[in-house]
Amino acid sequence: MLDFSAIVQTHTEWRKKLPRSVQMVYSARHNCNMSLLKLLHRLGVGLRTATKYDLAAVREACSGSNGGGIIWDDTSIIVKPNSFHRKLVLNTIDESAEPVPIAVGSIGEMKRIHDQLVRICKRRKQRMPNARFLLKLNDIDIKDWKVEQIRMHEGALELSHELVGVAMELGKANNANSTEKDDDFILVDALSDLVENWVGPPNKAPQVHLTNPITSIEINGNVLKWIENHYKSCDVITIDVSRLLIANAAALCARIIGVKNNDENSQHIYIDRSEEHT
């Protein structure tokens, strides 16, 4: 069950708080309901995809659009099926359009995706497009961010591609000594240094993709302040508002088909996740 008016109201409130150049995005993996995707598209919310099924649903909701600020790679999930990258990068209607940036965690992952796309292009006798990549930062120590970014930039150039930006999951520590209270402060403070000293394609500012904010409090604090201070220094900033928009506007109706009591304090509830209930 979806309350579209609640979604529109929440979107309106947050659109006023964020600079116009900041792109709000929704991860389709949470709920691929076609009416929901069409509403979010009309509101100007970008749609993140992680599987070929998400991508097909989003393209249908957006009337076959290639991307261009509408479709984004889900940067919270790095390793994805090869079929997803093929459909995201190669199966486009307009070959002149810039490919959607792909999230990677290392230079090895970037090369793997490159080799996979090259093989498919050879088989199809199709021109290999210049792919664009995003470096996910959370699995790299903060002190190594700049070093890894330079390595990724140079590696992308060798493959005739571009490293166009970075992705960061909020609330996930990159420092073993950090606490939950100061995680986001440490992350966004280090991100400022990386953005200000960006090494990438000439005359191009970096993209910054912020994922996984759970509550409005997390965005209202250090994150919103960081965006206000740095949005002019970035080509684009995206912020994942999936939970923010849907938390108070959706309910899943399902049938309980089994209960397993583990002990006196816990139990497993099994629900029917057939198509009509999802």
Side-chain angles (χ1 to χ4, degrees), residues 146-193:
K146 284 194 279 189
V147 174
E148 187 64 19
Q149 189 263 315
I150 293 170
R151 286 184 65 247
M152 289 286 289
H153 167 62
E154 293 172 347
L157 288 179
E158 289 178 6
L159 299 171
S160 299
H161 302 314
E162 289 183 331
L163 179 71
V164 297
V166 294
M168 188 177 73
E169 184 176 341
L170 300 170
K172 182 177 179 181
N174 291 67
N175 186 325
N177 298 319
S178 63
T179 65
E180 289 185 6
K181 184 178 179 180
D182 64 10
D183 279 351
D184 283 350
F185 175 78
I186 290 173
L187 291 175
V188 297
D189 188 49
L191 184 59
S192 300
D193 186 41

Side-chain angles (χ1 to χ4, degrees), residues 162 198-206 235:
E162 289 183 331
W198 179 254
V199 177
N203 304 317
K204 280 194 179 181
D235 177 48

Side-chain angles (χ1 to χ4, degrees), residues 31-278:
N31 190 330
C32 263
N33 178 279
M34 187 57 59
S35 297
L36 172 62
L37 296 180
K38 288 181 177 180
L39 170 67
L40 295 174
H41 177 47
R42 287 198 301 271
L43 292 173
V45 176
L47 300 170
R48 288 198 197 279
T49 61
T51 69
K52 62 181 181 180
Y53 306 106
D54 295 342
L55 185 58
V58 166
R59 281 187 169 148
E60 182 180 347
C62 301
S63 302
S65 173
N66 281 319
I70 299 169
I71 299 174
W72 301 90
D73 183 24
D74 194 331
T75 56
S76 64
I77 302 173
I78 296 292
V79 180
K80 305 179 184 75
N82 290 346
S83 59
F84 170 72
H85 293 127
R86 169 174 55 82
K87 291 180 179 294
L88 183 72
V89 179
L90 302 181
N91 292 14
T92 56
I93 299 169
D94 181 5
E95 291 189 1
S96 65
E98 287 190 328
V100 176
I102 301 172
V104 293
S106 66
I107 196 167
E109 177 68 2
M110 181 172 63
K111 289 180 177 177
R112 184 192 72 78
I113 294 171
H114 165 80
D115 292 342
Q116 167 222 332
L117 294 177
V118 167
R119 287 194 297 270
I120 296 171
C121 285
K122 267 187 188 176
R123 192 163 63 244
R124 292 182 175 184
K125 297 182 180 179
Q126 176 181 346
R127 180 183 63 85
M128 174 68 182
N130 295 325
R132 302 191 299 163
F133 292 94
L134 300 165
L135 172 61
K136 184 162 182 180
L137 299 172
N138 290 83
D139 295 329
I140 307 167
D141 287 337
I142 289 177
K143 60 181 173 33
D144 296 328
W145 276 7
K146 284 194 279 189
V147 174
E148 187 64 19
Q149 189 263 315
I150 293 170
R151 286 184 65 247
M152 289 286 289
H153 167 62
E154 293 172 347
L157 288 179
E158 289 178 6
L159 299 171
S160 299
H161 302 314
E162 289 183 331
L163 179 71
V164 297
V166 294
M168 188 177 73
E169 184 176 341
L170 300 170
K172 182 177 179 181
N174 291 67
N175 186 325
N177 298 319
S178 63
T179 65
E180 289 185 6
K181 184 178 179 180
D182 64 10
D183 279 351
D184 283 350
F185 175 78
I186 290 173
L187 291 175
V188 297
D189 188 49
L191 184 59
S192 300
D193 186 41
L194 184 65
V195 168
E196 289 164 5
N197 296 280
W198 179 254
V199 177
N203 304 317
K204 280 194 179 181
Q207 295 186 16
V208 175
H209 297 254
L210 303 174
T211 66
N212 203 38
I214 299 173
T215 67
S216 59
I217 295 174
E218 291 179 358
I219 303 178
N220 265 325
N222 294 321
V223 175
L224 190 56
K225 184 178 179 181
W226 188 91
I227 290 173
E228 290 172 347
N229 290 336
H230 293 89
Y231 75 93
K232 292 182 180 178
S233 303
C234 299
D235 177 48
V236 66
I237 296 176
T238 72
I239 184 162
D240 192 329
V241 293
S242 304
R243 295 174 184 173
L244 189 68
L245 289 178
I246 307 299
N248 298 319
L252 173 67
C253 298
R255 182 167 58 92
I256 295 177
I257 59 175
V259 178
K260 178 183 177 182
N261 294 310
N262 299 320
D263 53 48
E264 60 182 12
N265 297 318
S266 68
Q267 62 180 196
H268 283 144
I269 305 293
Y270 298 90
I271 64 173
D272 180 1
R273 287 299 303 269
S274 60
E275 185 64 28
E276 68 260 31
H277 292 130
T278 54

